[in-house]
Amino acid sequence: MNLRRISLLLILLLATAVAVDAQVTKQPFGKTPDGQQIDLYTLRNAHGVEAKIMNYGAIVTSLKVPDRNGKFDDVVLGFSDFDSYLKNDPYFGAIVGRYGNRIAKGRFTLNGVEYKLATNNGENHLHGGIKGFDKVVWTAHQLTTKAGPAVALTYLSKDGEEGYPGNLTANVVYTLTNNDELKIDYTVTTDKDTVHNLTHHSYFNLAGEGSGDILNHVVTINANRFVPTDAGSIPTGELKSVAGTPFDFLKPMAIGARINQDDEQLKFGNGYDHTWVINGRPGVMRFAATAYDATSGRVMQVWTTEPGVQFYTGNFLNGTKTGKSGKAYERRNGFCFETQHYPDSPNHPSFPTTTLKKGQTYKSTTIYRFSTKR
Ligand code: BGC
C-alpha cells in the first residue's frame, strides 16, 4: 500500500469513528440531594431516532420515533427536569429491581432462611422496595456498537439491601439499533444465592406523550395464558387460559374494547395489570406483544427472552403528575409492557425460577421495535 492509500484509509477510519461517536452525547441533568452528578445520555441512530437515558434509575426519559409521515414525537411518559424524577412514584422509564413486581407480604424463603423485605404496596413488596434500582445512581458509560449507539449501566446492590441476600451486580445495556429498536440486555450476577426479576418500566403512548389516553391503541399479546391474581395483585398460582376472557389478545384488539367489562380480574387490577405467559420457550427470543396507534401509524413490537410480560394500562395515573409537554398525565394515558418473570415467583415453586445462584450469570434481552404502517 502506498502512502496516499494509507492516509486515505486513515481519514476514512477517522471519519467513521467521528460519525459513530456523534451518535452518543452526554450532558449534565442534575444532582441528587446528596450531591451526586446525574447525566443524560442521548443516543441517536442512523434514522434520527433518539433515546435519552440517565444514570439515575437507568431511566429512559425520552424516546423520539417517526410517525407514518416522518414526524417525530416522544412516545414515552416522563418529566422535563431531574428533580421531578426524585418523586417518580409511577416508575416512569425506569429499570425496576431487584425484584420487579410483587412479592407477597414481602417474604420468601431461600435455602431454608426466611427473608423479610420492605412492604411498600399494602402488605406486599413492590418493585424492589423503598429504594429500588429505579432510585439509585448507576455507573454509566457510552458505547459504540455495530448495532448502534449504546449506553451501559451497572449497579452493585449490596448484600442485605432492601432485605435481599447477596451482593448482586446488575448490568443493563441500552442499544438504539439502526433497525429502530430499543434493545435492552441484562446481565446479573451474585456472590450468594438470591432472587431477582429486573424489568423496564416505560409507559408508552404511540400517539405521543401527553396526547391523552391509550384506549384506542390496538394490542396483540402472544399468550394463550395469563397469571390471575387476588385483590392485592398477588398470583393465585394458576396459569389461566385467556380463551373467552377480556385477557385474550391473541388477535389484535383495542385496549379499551373490554377494559370496563364486569370481570373480577379487571376489577382486581383496576384494568389490565397482569402478567401474560408468553407462548414459546423462555430463554429464547420470541415475539411477545405489539401495539398500534392508527392516528400516527406507529407500531411497537416487543420481543423478549423472558417468560412473561406485565401489561399495565396506567390505571393508577391520576392527573397529579405533569409531563414533559406540560400536560397532566391522567388515568390510562400510557401503557407498559414489562417483560419479566411472574410476580411472587419466590413463593410459587411451579413458576419459572427467579433464584440466581452464587456464581451464576443470568442473561436476558428485550427489544422494543418501532415501525409505521398506513
Ligand atoms: C404494577 C402496577 C403499579 C405500577 C406502578 C406496575 O408494574 O403492575 O400495579 O401500579 O407498576 O407502580
Side-chain angles (χ1 to χ4, degrees):
M1 227 188 275
N2 64 26
L3 208 63
R4 212 173 137 223
R5 274 192 147 187
I6 292 174
S7 41
L8 258 176
L9 200 71
L10 273 176
I11 290 171
L12 207 73
L13 276 175
L14 210 69
T16 327
V18 168
V20 170
D21 227 47
Q23 294 175 326
V24 189
T25 55
K26 176 178 152 184
Q27 67 199 94
F29 192 43
K31 273 199 169 39
T32 60
D34 63 354
Q36 295 185 75
Q37 171 72 32
I38 301 305
D39 295 314
L40 199 55
Y41 291 81
T42 302
L43 277 49
R44 204 169 226 277
N45 81 358
H47 306 137
V49 172
E50 185 198 271
K52 288 184 191 280
I53 294 156
M54 66 167 149
N55 57 332
Y56 180 84
I59 292 174
V60 174
T61 64
S62 148
L63 181 58
K64 290 186 181 148
V65 301
D67 70 4
R68 61 162 72 87
N69 300 315
K71 178 177 171 280
F72 283 75
D73 279 306
D74 188 349
V75 296
V76 293
L77 275 52
F79 304 113
S80 49
D81 65 302
F82 173 66
D83 286 353
S84 299
Y85 279 102
L86 294 169
K87 296 174 286 277
N88 182 17
D89 32 60
Y91 298 83
F92 289 149
I95 292 294
V96 171
R98 183 180 299 201
Y99 198 100
N101 220 313
R102 292 169 177 83
I103 296 180
K105 300 191 171 70
R107 279 161 197 246
F108 66 94
T109 301
L110 185 62
N111 301 335
V113 179
E114 187 183 69
Y115 293 95
K116 292 195 183 89
L117 310 169
T119 49
N120 56 335
N121 186 246
E123 59 173 8
N124 301 320
H125 175 86
L126 176 70
H127 294 339
I130 312 284
K131 192 172 180 186
F133 291 8
D134 60 296
K135 296 179 189 70
V136 299
V137 180
W138 296 59
T139 304
H141 64 272
Q142 56 203 66
L143 298 173
T144 45
T145 74
K146 268 196 197 142
V151 58
L153 299 122
T154 306
Y155 177 64
L156 167 65
S157 168
K158 295 267 175 63
D159 188 12
E161 190 177 291
E162 298 295 316
Y164 292 99
N167 289 299
L168 177 128
T169 304
N171 180 265
V172 171
V173 180
Y174 286 104
T175 308
L176 188 63
T177 77
N178 291 321
N179 296 324
D180 299 347
E181 301 160 330
L182 182 66
K183 178 166 165 275
I184 313 177
D185 290 298
Y186 301 83
T187 308
V188 188
T189 55
T190 179
D191 66 355
K192 190 171 167 188
D193 294 3
T194 189
V195 299
H196 72 120
N197 188 30
L198 270 68
T199 188
H200 177 69
H201 211 293
S202 272
Y203 287 66
F204 298 96
N205 186 327
L206 298 180
E209 64 81 28
S211 69
D213 71 58
I214 43 76
L215 297 173
N216 288 331
H217 282 52
V218 174
V219 158
T220 312
I221 305 178
N222 177 27
N224 296 340
R225 293 176 299 166
F226 76 107
V227 184
T229 69
D230 66 13
S233 290
I234 296 295
T236 59
E238 187 195 356
L239 302 180
K240 192 175 181 235
S241 166
V242 297
T245 78
F247 290 76
D248 185 349
F249 281 94
L250 285 161
K251 294 212 182 80
M253 186 65 82
I255 293 176
R258 300 162 300 181
I259 203 167
N260 294 321
Q261 274 185 12
D262 185 13
D263 175 275
E264 187 181 55
Q265 284 301 315
L266 285 173
K267 285 197 182 123
F268 286 167
N270 270 292
Y272 296 107
D273 191 1
H274 294 76
T275 302
W276 271 252
V277 177
I278 303 165
N279 293 338
R281 203 144 46 92
V284 175
M285 178 59 79
R286 64 217 190 285
F287 168 67
T290 187
Y292 168 62
D293 166 51
T295 57
S296 63
R298 290 190 185 96
V299 179
M300 181 178 77
Q301 279 188 21
V302 186
W303 291 70
T304 191
T305 57
E306 283 296 308
V309 60
Q310 180 87 5
F311 176 43
Y312 169 57
T313 44
N315 310 316
F316 299 113
L317 297 175
N318 59 8
T320 55
K321 300 280 169 195
T322 301
K324 288 170 272 188
S325 48
K327 304 224 181 69
Y329 292 136
E330 304 289 349
R331 188 165 192 232
R332 300 191 175 142
N333 280 194
F335 66 94
C336 305
F337 277 135
E338 304 158 56
T339 54
Q340 56 184 246
H341 278 57
Y342 314 155
D344 199 28
S345 295
N347 294 308
H348 290 277
S350 62
F351 289 177
T353 187
T354 48
T355 300
L356 183 67
K357 293 224 156 75
K358 173 184 174 176
Q360 270 184 348
T361 301
Y362 181 78
K363 282 189 178 288
S364 165
T365 299
T366 292
I367 293 172
Y368 298 95
R369 180 178 300 154
F370 295 90
S371 59
T372 59
K373 64 180 190 191
R374 292 272 144 203

